[in-house]
Amino acid sequence: MNRQRRKKEKQRRDEDRGQWANKTEYFLVVAGNVVGLGNMWRFPYLCYKNGGGAFLVLYGLLAVFAGIPMFLLVTSIGQYTQEGFITCWTKLCPLAQGIGIGQLIITFWASIYILIEAWALFYLVFSFRSQLPWATCNNIWNTADCVDLQIFNSSNVTVKQTNGTPAAVEFWERRMLGMSGGIEELGSVRWELALCLLVAWIFCYFSIWKGVRSSGKVVYFTATFPYVMLLILLIRGLTLPGASEGIYYYLYPDINRLADLEVWIEAGIQIFFSYSLNGGSLVVLSSYNDYKNNCYRDCFWLCLLNSGTSFVGGFVVFSVLGFMAHKQGVPVNTVTKSGPGLAFIAYPQATALMPLPQFWSVCFFLMLILLTIDSHFVDMESFITTGGIFIFQFIEFCGSTRVCQNIIVISQCIALGWIFGANRLANVIEDMTGQRPSLFFKLCWKYVVPLLALISCIGYLRDYKRLTINAYVYPDWAYSLGWFMTLSSVLMIPLWAAGRMCLTPGTFRQVGYADSQQGL
């Protein structure tokens, strides 16, 4: 009797909140969510920064031991509870609802990534000019130190390397960003960037304005077309002279870097970032699934798609870096600086040196735009000033740091692997899918993932380094603000648990398990 009543209540709730029209919509929406900037922007520059192949090896290992188990954990609780990433905890472990609030705050800070869409739009507009402006030095924003790309075809490469500033760097810093002296100097609004940001907001609004009914249709284009662009850029990249040098750097691991804890930490955080494990979006998206959807099988396919896209994207970027190294006559690891400028300096430089440069530039920036369509929303007014790049990198550094990411992961594993119970979670997945997760997943949920996250967190705090941009060092007050941003999400977990213990009568077991017993 109770089971039938619960079934009717579930059907009524599903009708109220909606469900995916079909499995394809869900697969494409999740693919569009997890396959994005983490694959085509962040993954290549972390690879470039951390020794190419060495990072790639560790990324693959951690994808198996952390990424896939956590992806299954997160998507299964969304499908099981049919709730959002905050309210789902009332059915699992009420004491852990602070995890959802912490994820909400991390999502708030991570919304700065919509700014990359505005940057890409800015570059896309300029890509239609007959002469790409980042290829020459005859523009009003160029300085006397500017060196255009024509020098790549001469033997005087050392002049460019030591005494000049590439035209692409000046376009990035002086034309688009109009960089100020630091975070203390926000300066005036960059109205062209403000317009690009408005367009980005409009794209995002019309992607989700009708909930799953609209987003499920939009992704048929936004989640698939980037792969067309990726394939075109891959074919072109692999046929460039010098591409093999970049591919070698990408695939060949530096054994010494494998023993560097920093590379391990960077690879682990990239897994959490690119798999979207800490923002709560996967819980929400999977909550619109039918209860009997095979999330166990979906987990493997979506994780393979995510990591596979990163792997292929690495070929696209490193083939271009090899081409640039070949043109400049320098090693691959000295072509450019790692960081956000990798996509907005190195790749524009490379496209300007190819036949039909406008076409390749449009392809690349159109792909970046489509990959950022699903970004979250927040008030972005301060990011379109001349000091915006300093704020962008500061919030990226502090708002969703390794500390936040790792503590959220550890808390999820404790709440679900130990309090709710790994065996009970396996029972839930078996009830939904007809397939029971192997012992490997339970060991990862209870021991492997939290241990790796704890080591990563300790290593980050031990080797903590202050953020710098070029030669600029952030002032002390900025770091005080940064730690407030970091703790704003992390402290929600113990504060919520303590508050619930104080305000709810009963023992620890009664308070922590009360609602999670329902429906099992």
Side-chain angles (χ1 to χ4, degrees):
M1 191 69 177
N2 289 336
R3 183 181 294 272
Q4 291 177 345
R5 185 173 66 253
R6 286 198 300 270
K7 184 176 181 181
K8 290 180 180 179
E9 290 175 354
K10 176 183 175 301
Q11 290 175 342
R12 184 168 60 252
R13 185 171 65 250
D14 291 345
E15 291 173 359
D16 292 339
R17 68 192 304 270
Q19 282 193 332
W20 301 114
N22 52 61
K23 182 65 171 286
T24 303
E25 283 189 4
Y26 165 70
F27 198 90
L28 289 176
V29 169
V30 176
N33 179 59
V34 300
V35 176
L37 294 175
N39 306 84
M40 291 304 302
W41 173 69
R42 201 168 187 270
F43 177 84
Y45 90 66
L46 286 177
C47 254
Y48 188 69
K49 172 186 174 183
N50 293 290
F55 180 86
L56 192 63
V57 170
L58 299 181
Y59 176 85
L61 285 174
L62 293 174
V64 173
F65 288 97
I68 295 175
M70 288 302 297
F71 194 95
L72 176 61
L73 180 145
V74 171
T75 54
S76 63
I77 65 174
Q79 183 171 310
Y80 167 64
T81 62
Q82 303 282 293
E83 300 281 355
F85 60 87
I86 296 178
T87 55
C88 71
W89 292 101
T90 61
K91 297 182 178 181
L92 299 167
C93 177
L95 278 177
Q97 198 163 355
I99 295 174
I101 300 173
Q103 289 176 321
L104 178 64
I105 295 173
I106 288 178
T107 301
F108 176 85
W109 297 125
S111 296
I112 59 168
Y113 288 111
I114 196 175
L115 187 60
I116 296 175
E117 183 178 347
W119 292 344
L121 276 168
F122 189 91
Y123 269 80
L124 180 65
V125 171
F126 278 89
S127 296
F128 289 98
R129 289 195 172 186
S130 58
Q131 176 93 43
L132 293 180
W134 48 82
T136 64
C137 292
N138 55 354
N139 305 290
I140 59 174
W141 60 83
N142 292 127
T143 66
D145 294 328
C146 178
V147 180
D148 63 35
L149 294 181
Q150 296 300 322
I151 200 161
F152 288 141
N153 295 324
S154 72
S155 59
N156 194 18
V157 177
T158 55
V159 174
K160 177 216 170 269
Q161 294 297 321
T162 59
N163 300 326
T165 303
V169 174
E170 292 204 348
F171 180 85
W172 162 254
E173 294 183 352
R174 297 177 59 84
R175 177 62 183 91
M176 190 187 76
L177 297 178
M179 288 178 65
S180 66
I183 197 171
E184 310 94 328
E185 304 174 23
L186 289 183
S188 60
V189 171
R190 306 284 291 178
W191 292 108
E192 292 165 313
L193 281 181
L195 180 61
C196 291
L197 190 59
L198 175 62
V199 173
W201 276 88
I202 293 172
F203 283 166
C204 294
Y205 172 76
F206 283 104
S207 296
I208 65 171
W209 71 313
K210 289 186 178 180
V212 296
R213 287 176 295 174
S214 61
S215 58
K217 302 299 184 292
V218 170
V219 292
Y220 279 102
F221 175 74
T222 60
T224 56
F225 190 71
Y227 284 97
V228 177
M229 296 291 98
L230 185 64
L231 179 61
I232 293 173
L233 293 171
L234 175 65
I235 294 172
R236 180 55 183 147
L238 294 178
T239 57
L240 291 171
S244 59
E245 299 173 26
I247 300 302
Y248 179 83
Y249 181 85
Y250 176 49
L251 296 179
Y252 183 79
D254 182 348
I255 303 300
N256 295 326
R257 297 303 299 274
L258 292 175
D260 188 347
L261 180 60
E262 175 69 15
V263 182
W264 284 81
I265 294 173
E266 293 275 21
I269 293 301
Q270 174 59 16
I271 289 292
F272 298 151
F273 181 88
S274 67
Y275 280 39
S276 300
L277 297 176
N278 290 322
S281 58
L282 286 179
V283 175
V284 175
L285 295 176
S286 58
S287 71
Y288 293 107
N289 274 332
D290 181 77
Y291 181 81
K292 290 296 184 180
N293 174 64
N294 195 335
C295 60
Y296 187 66
R297 181 183 58 201
D298 293 346
C299 166
F300 290 100
W301 282 112
L302 287 167
C303 289
L304 179 63
L305 177 66
N306 183 294
S307 294
T309 303
S310 294
F311 184 67
V312 174
F315 279 93
V316 172
V317 173
F318 279 89
S319 62
V320 169
L321 290 175
F323 169 64
M324 294 294 294
H326 175 75
K327 283 287 187 178
Q328 298 179 36
V330 297
V332 174
N333 62 347
T334 62
V335 169
T336 187
K337 297 177 182 178
S338 62
L342 183 61
F344 293 96
I345 296 175
Y347 215 97
Q349 277 184 320
T351 58
L353 292 170
M354 300 177 189
L356 300 175
Q358 290 82 3
F359 173 76
W360 302 113
S361 183
V362 167
C363 286
F364 179 73
F365 290 112
L366 186 60
M367 180 181 67
L368 277 188
I369 291 168
L370 293 174
L371 289 174
T372 56
I373 287 294
D374 295 329
S375 298
H376 301 291
F377 311 107
V378 71
D379 184 5
M380 301 294 294
E381 182 179 358
S382 64
F383 296 101
I384 52 177
T385 64
T386 56
I389 185 63
F390 297 98
I391 302 176
F392 173 83
Q393 291 211 306
F394 179 73
I395 292 183
E396 185 195 25
F397 183 76
C398 300
S400 55
T401 63
R402 301 164 189 172
V403 173
C404 306
Q405 303 269 359
N406 286 316
I407 291 181
I408 289 289
V409 167
I410 293 170
S411 301
Q412 287 177 318
C413 290
I414 292 173
L416 295 170
W418 291 92
I419 300 177
F420 184 80
N423 284 326
R424 293 173 65 197
L425 183 59
N427 292 339
V428 165
I429 295 173
E430 185 178 21
D431 182 58
M432 292 190 298
T433 67
Q435 296 176 280
R436 187 174 183 82
S438 66
L439 178 63
F440 169 79
F441 285 93
K442 289 186 282 187
L443 291 175
C444 287
W445 294 332
K446 296 184 69 173
Y447 305 105
V448 178
V449 175
L451 179 61
L452 290 174
L454 180 62
I455 293 172
S456 176
C457 190
I458 294 173
Y460 171 75
L461 294 174
R462 187 197 68 180
D463 300 327
Y464 178 78
K465 298 176 182 177
R466 292 197 166 196
L467 175 66
T468 60
I469 298 181
N470 297 333
Y472 175 75
V473 179
Y474 285 80
D476 291 338
W477 64 262
Y479 287 98
S480 300
L481 177 61
W483 279 107
F484 166 77
M485 293 166 59
T486 298
L487 296 175
S488 65
S489 58
V490 169
L491 289 180
M492 290 298 105
I493 301 170
L495 288 177
W496 178 273
R500 185 173 177 88
M501 287 296 298
C502 293
L503 299 176
T504 307
T507 64
F508 175 84
R509 186 175 183 83
Q510 291 171 332
V511 174
Y513 284 80
D515 297 333
S516 62
Q517 298 286 354
Q518 298 179 10
L520 293 177

